[in-house]
Amino acid sequence: MAAGGSRGDPLALEPEPEPEPEPIPAAGRWGDQEPTLQYKILRGHSDTVSSCHFCSEDTKILSCSYDRTVKLWDVAKGFPVRVFEEEHTAPISECNLSPDDRRVVTSSYDNTVKAWDMETGKMLVGIVTSCNISWDGKYVVSGSDKGNAIFVFDAVSATVVAHVQGHHRSTITRCCFDPDNQRVTSVSYDKTIKLWDMTTRSTLVTINEGHSNAISDCCFTSDGRYLCTASWDKSLKIWDIKTGQFRCHEPISLNQGHEGSVSSCVFSQDASLVVSGGYDKTIAIWETDAGYKKLSLKGHCDWVTDVAISENKKWILSASKDSTLRLWNIEKMDHIPSVIESRKEKGSKITQLLFKTETVSVLTSET
């Protein structure tokens, strides 16, 4: 089993009921969830859609699936413009793009990772279990079930740069580079978070019991300061990694956003929002600074496996086990009554807290 992009399924051992069929919006039309919120369903995969990304300045979408294909979608038209297939012999667990959008890397349960040329569709190289590219495009990191190890490869030659055996005590669910390309962060079923340094070739940070259950995903803010982790304990946590504040202060916890395990998470480009997907079939949008859920997006018939957000924060993309992707227009999200109410309620609680605080002098603008 290839682990680098496998977030796991805590419900895998339980029989799953067949999802109810959903109404299909007429061709070319948008469905409405709220008066000011629209979505579009992208159909084209025949099995679980395991990973999704915006690319080409948000004009294209990249997705991969257990149907062993990778598809490049046109956002405006809503259908695939290129299909990469017939190279993997087992479900594809994750896909990732190089910073210049010229190469795509896929990891699969066939224990291989393959690199493809986006223009020609030709496979460039086959390497072993991985699927995250460094922000400078020079390296690829992988997580493997065999020995719970991480591998770092040269992205061009596919030669192994580093191999850390027994990095975790159990399956590595996600590994990724920080924006400085200096550290590799990994999370695991063993509930730990680890930061491995590319220069010293050693583990600099280990956070034990980062969550009370398996950790399924992790992501950095674009400046590398904060790390968000998602867990089967139904919560997300935001850690101040760059300044080291996590060593003496508790992380920010995002709770009561999902009714089940959280499978995926991503920061917006400016870090003002966190988007998460869960096994409860919903997508949650969180206000990062205030630490509360702004909105839940509902519509998928099965668990949400991955989420993405466009650079301009107008679009959210979700992938699901129901074989579809959904493109959500959140440009007017702040005008939705439930969002307005949540903001008022949050503001009211903060005001009450300030009035109840007797030692006013300890309060700062940051507080």
Side-chain angles (χ1 to χ4, degrees), residues 7 12 14 24 36 62 76 88 93 98 108 117-118 125 137 157 208 243 246 258 289 329:
R7 298 176 179 89
E14 300 179 10
I24 301 175
T36 55
L62 184 74
H88 282 293
S93 58
S98 60
S108 168
D117 186 285
M118 284 286 280
V125 64
S157 67
N208 293 308
T243 65
F246 72 93
H258 292 279
D289 289 340
N329 185 336

Side-chain angles (χ1 to χ4, degrees), residues 32-53:
D32 290 315
Q33 172 159 332
E34 299 268 3
T36 55
L37 185 69
Q38 295 180 311
Y39 65 88
K40 181 179 283 187
I41 303 173
L42 306 182
R43 291 180 169 87
H45 286 290
S46 58
D47 206 336
T48 298
V49 185
S50 50
S51 184
C52 61
H53 302 274

Side-chain angles (χ1 to χ4, degrees), residues 20-91:
E20 292 291 329
E22 60 178 290
I24 301 175
R29 292 186 59 188
W30 291 80
D32 290 315
Q33 172 159 332
E34 299 268 3
T36 55
L37 185 69
Q38 295 180 311
Y39 65 88
K40 181 179 283 187
I41 303 173
L42 306 182
R43 291 180 169 87
H45 286 290
S46 58
D47 206 336
T48 298
V49 185
S50 50
S51 184
C52 61
H53 302 274
F54 283 101
C55 57
S56 303
E57 298 181 339
D58 299 334
T59 62
K60 300 287 193 301
I61 288 169
L62 184 74
S63 66
C64 65
S65 168
Y66 283 9
D67 65 11
R68 297 181 286 181
T69 68
V70 180
K71 295 181 186 289
L72 183 67
W73 306 73
D74 184 285
V75 169
K77 297 176 181 177
F79 61 77
V81 293
R82 183 177 290 279
V83 179
F84 306 87
E85 56 186 343
E86 298 179 356
E87 290 295 342
H88 282 293
T89 59

